[in-house]
Amino acid sequence: MDSKSLRHTLGTFATGVCVMTTPDPDMASGQVLGITANSFSSVSLDPPLIQWCIDVKAHRYQIYADATVFGVNILSAGQEALSRRFAKQNAHIVPDDMLMSDEHPLRMREVIGFLACEVFDTRIVGDHLVIVGQVTSFDMDEGHEGLTFFRGRYGQIGTVS
């Protein structure tokens, strides 16, 4: 099977873009790590469960594999630069960045949706770790359009009323 062709075929499924945040275990208090993901989906409403996946070869794999809590930050259309930043290896968020909201230590500013999660289950499936989180709190902001990813390019969706 040609993995490059498979990747292009999978890219025809338009997705939203998220930054998964977790406390940085190696740094001073208040620092957070982020990683871009578009493998996010809901699993269950009762109990409230979501899932996302991380490549076992990812630079930050072990941090997320060991995490007990994480945040799902669903990016707004104006946050493409943040998506690109957290897709790279240096993904530390320090308080001076002013990226995090005052409402929750793992919530980024200007996102259209946020879910705080405790790890419910993890499982290696193929070359990825599937992380299932139980939602402990959430919020949304209907004042922004959503950031999308389709065929290797960013776009936006939604109408601001």
Side-chain angles (χ1 to χ4, degrees):
M1 183 175 296
D2 178 16
S3 61
K4 188 173 184 177
S5 294
L6 176 60
R7 183 181 178 110
H8 287 297
T9 300
L10 293 171
T12 63
F13 181 69
T15 65
V17 183
C18 301
V19 170
M20 304 307 193
T21 52
T22 197
D24 186 341
D26 296 327
M27 300 298 211
S29 178
Q31 292 192 345
V32 173
L33 283 174
I35 190 169
T36 300
N38 65 353
S39 59
F40 165 76
S41 66
S42 64
V43 173
S44 169
L45 291 176
D46 186 19
L49 302 175
I50 58 90
Q51 71 175 359
W52 70 286
C53 304
I54 185 170
D55 191 318
V56 297
K57 293 177 260 155
H59 177 69
R60 289 154 275 172
Y61 168 79
Q62 200 59 54
I63 293 167
Y64 284 92
D66 293 341
T68 58
V69 296
F70 63 92
V72 179
N73 293 272
I74 304 169
L75 299 186
S76 64
Q79 295 181 309
E80 180 180 335
L82 289 178
S83 173
R84 291 182 186 279
R85 171 182 170 180
F86 295 112
K88 296 180 180 173
Q89 289 185 1
N90 184 8
H92 290 94
I93 305 168
V94 297
D96 290 346
D97 284 338
M98 300 297 293
L99 288 178
M100 307 314 287
S101 73
D102 296 329
E103 293 86 26
H104 193 284
L106 298 178
R107 186 187 191 284
M108 299 173 72
R109 297 181 192 278
E110 306 297 320
V111 295
I112 60 172
F114 172 74
L115 300 107
C117 299
E118 294 177 351
V119 173
F120 182 82
D121 193 15
T122 61
R123 183 174 317 258
I124 297 285
V125 179
D127 60 1
H128 279 67
L129 176 68
V130 178
I131 300 171
V132 178
Q134 183 157 357
V135 178
T136 57
S137 67
F138 62 93
D139 67 66
M140 67 177 185
D141 181 351
E142 295 183 21
H144 299 285
E145 295 181 339
L147 184 65
T148 60
F149 198 70
F150 176 69
R151 291 189 171 159
R153 290 182 287 214
Y154 288 95
Q156 64 184 43
I157 192 167
T159 304
V160 178
S161 345

